[in-house]
Amino acid sequence: MRYVGNQPFKCLRRWLGLRFTLLFANGGAHTPEHYSRADAIQLLTRQQHDEALTAGIESTRLFHLPHGVDCTHFARPAAHGRDAARVARGIPTNAWVVLGVSALAMSEKRADWLVREVERLGMEDAFLLLAGQEGPETGALRRLAADLLPGRHAFTTVAPDQVRDLYWLADVAALPSLREGFGLAAIEAAAAGLPVLVHDSAHF
């Protein structure tokens, strides 16, 4: 038997006499074709909501509900020792630090683009700090950074409650991806008082 859309779940409810609602809730950059099997869909951004409507998904199934962010958690304390935090991570205290927080990947997060752009600045005091989880593309990304930014870059992976320390030691944050499910790093960086560079799109 071939099932279409959310038919398997409707059949399961009917056969077993169950009563449940299937909710799609995912932080990824999904598109409307992923929503067909769900009864209700949580959308993190207005752009996603509009895309779903344009694709013909019933408005009664759509709920625009962004992630909640405790911005006070990222507010930089007045007495924060930025120089000491930089020294602890091997970053010169007089550097202009560009921070990228995302998966250490190139295909979707475009961290390689950020490496190239920092190199193109031609600023000897520009330092790139890339923070996130490693993956299959991280090795190639490390080699690119070593070639273009020798001695002016660092990679790190920290626990979630330590990410704010990275925002506090940076001068500017950049999120070079063209599409995000939400873009939490941009919200966090702004809450920490950083200028934030993002793609010029309806989402951001």
Side-chain angles (χ1 to χ4, degrees):
M1 181 179 295
R2 181 173 181 270
Y3 294 125
V4 179
N6 64 353
Q7 187 180 4
F9 301 101
K10 290 181 178 179
C11 292
L12 183 63
R13 280 183 290 211
R14 184 174 68 251
W15 292 338
L16 300 181
L18 300 176
R19 296 182 62 185
F20 64 84
T21 297
L22 185 68
L23 169 67
F24 183 98
N26 192 298
H30 291 278
T31 51
E33 59 264 25
H34 297 99
Y35 306 150
S36 60
R37 295 185 176 185
D39 299 301
I41 303 116
Q42 177 197 3
L43 301 170
L44 300 177
T45 69
R46 179 59 59 185
Q47 182 186 25
Q48 293 171 349
H49 186 272
D50 293 343
E51 287 176 353
L53 287 176
T54 301
I57 297 177
E58 302 91 332
S59 61
T60 54
R61 296 169 58 201
L62 305 177
F63 299 89
H64 177 208
L65 182 62
H67 287 315
V69 180
D70 179 6
C71 291
T72 62
H73 175 74
F74 298 95
R76 189 196 311 259
H80 177 65
R82 188 173 75 165
D83 287 356
R86 289 186 174 190
V87 170
R89 296 188 176 277
I91 301 173
T93 57
N94 62 343
W96 188 71
V97 179
V98 180
L99 173 65
V101 176
S102 71
L104 299 176
M106 298 185 291
S107 55
E108 293 184 3
K109 298 302 183 179
R110 300 210 309 160
D112 56 319
W113 179 91
L114 190 52
V115 171
R116 293 187 176 93
E117 289 300 300
V118 172
E119 190 271 337
R120 286 181 59 194
L121 288 173
M123 296 169 52
E124 290 301 319
D125 62 342
F127 190 99
L128 176 61
L129 177 58
L130 292 174
Q133 292 296 321
E134 297 197 11
E137 298 176 335
T138 305
L141 182 62
R142 286 182 179 275
R143 291 190 292 272
L144 178 68
D147 182 46
L148 297 183
L149 299 172
R152 296 194 293 124
H153 73 279
F155 288 77
T156 188
T157 302
V158 300
D161 62 348
Q162 296 176 336
V163 175
R164 66 181 184 180
D165 297 332
L166 305 182
Y167 295 124
W168 293 348
L169 64 77
D171 292 291
V172 63
L175 186 61
S177 49
L178 300 179
R179 182 181 178 89
E180 285 282 341
F182 183 65
L184 191 61
I187 303 296
E188 294 173 349
L194 288 180
V196 183
L197 303 175
V198 294
H199 184 56
D200 183 14
S201 70
H203 172 93
F204 292 111

